[in-house]
Amino acid sequence: MDDRTFRNAMGKFATGVTVVTTEFQGEVKGMTANAFMSVSLNPKLVVVSIGEKARMNPIVKQTGKFAVNILAREQEDLSRLFAGQLKEEKKVDFQWVDGHPILPDALANILCNVHSSYVAGDHTLYFGEVTDILMKDEAGDPLLFFEGKYRSIAKE
């Protein structure tokens, strides 16, 4: 099969949208990622997949820590910003928790230390040991991604 067929098939799987953040040399670095999942309850592990050529890859490798910010429906602009899809500059006000920059108003912020990593094809899988979790008090709807487009949950 060709690459386009593979990508189209993978796009049939609806995912949430996250922004992975870390601090590197005094600056906040981040990237949009939808290749994220929980892995283990004991120890508490998650995994995020980062492209080998992504600027974020050597940064996470070097810092040894990252935060996964699970975006709310209203945060599509942040997803686009960290995906490099916005032309204009936008200031982001991060909050800091235990040395991790996090996005306020995300549905959840998952703070991690890199537990291990594994190169798989053209990506590196970073397994993060969860050190803390923050969640919004009020429930909100997630930002979704399906067939290459942002989506939201339909109200019944």
Side-chain angles (χ1 to χ4, degrees):
M1 84 203 70
D2 64 12
D3 290 352
R4 176 52 43 204
T5 299
F6 183 80
R7 287 181 69 97
N8 288 346
M10 296 305 103
K12 299 293 184 188
F13 183 68
T15 67
V17 181
T18 73
V19 170
V20 177
T21 54
T22 195
E23 182 272 330
F24 180 67
Q25 297 180 344
E27 291 185 26
V28 176
K29 303 294 184 181
M31 64 167 274
T32 299
N34 65 341
F36 161 77
M37 68 177 192
S38 63
V39 174
S40 169
L41 191 56
N42 188 17
K44 291 171 181 55
L45 298 174
V46 298
V47 67
V48 63
S49 179
I50 300 178
E52 279 295 292
K53 295 180 180 175
R55 288 177 293 198
M56 192 71 164
N57 191 24
I59 293 171
V60 170
K61 192 174 292 185
Q62 196 166 348
T63 64
K65 65 180 183 176
F66 60 91
V68 178
N69 302 272
I70 300 174
L71 299 187
R73 181 182 59 203
E74 300 81 13
Q75 295 179 302
E76 181 179 332
D77 61 329
L78 288 173
S79 174
R80 289 185 183 279
L81 176 69
F82 286 100
Q85 297 173 341
L86 296 182
K87 301 291 185 232
E88 67 275 0
E89 289 288 321
K90 177 180 170 130
K91 182 172 178 358
V92 178
D93 292 319
F94 294 94
Q95 291 179 349
W96 290 83
V97 177
D98 295 330
H100 291 271
I102 62 169
L103 293 171
D105 300 321
L107 295 179
N109 311 95
I110 304 165
L111 284 53
C112 302
N113 289 327
V114 174
H115 175 275
S116 56
S117 63
Y118 180 78
V119 177
D122 59 2
H123 280 66
T124 298
L125 304 177
Y126 286 97
F127 292 84
E129 186 161 9
V130 178
T131 60
D132 202 357
I133 292 177
L134 294 89
M135 288 188 289
K136 283 178 70 168
D137 290 335
E138 67 277 355
D141 287 336
L143 180 61
L144 302 177
F145 200 70
F146 178 71
E147 292 186 330
K149 296 179 180 149
Y150 292 100
R151 308 288 179 119
S152 58
I153 294 174
K155 298 294 182 192
E156 294 182 30

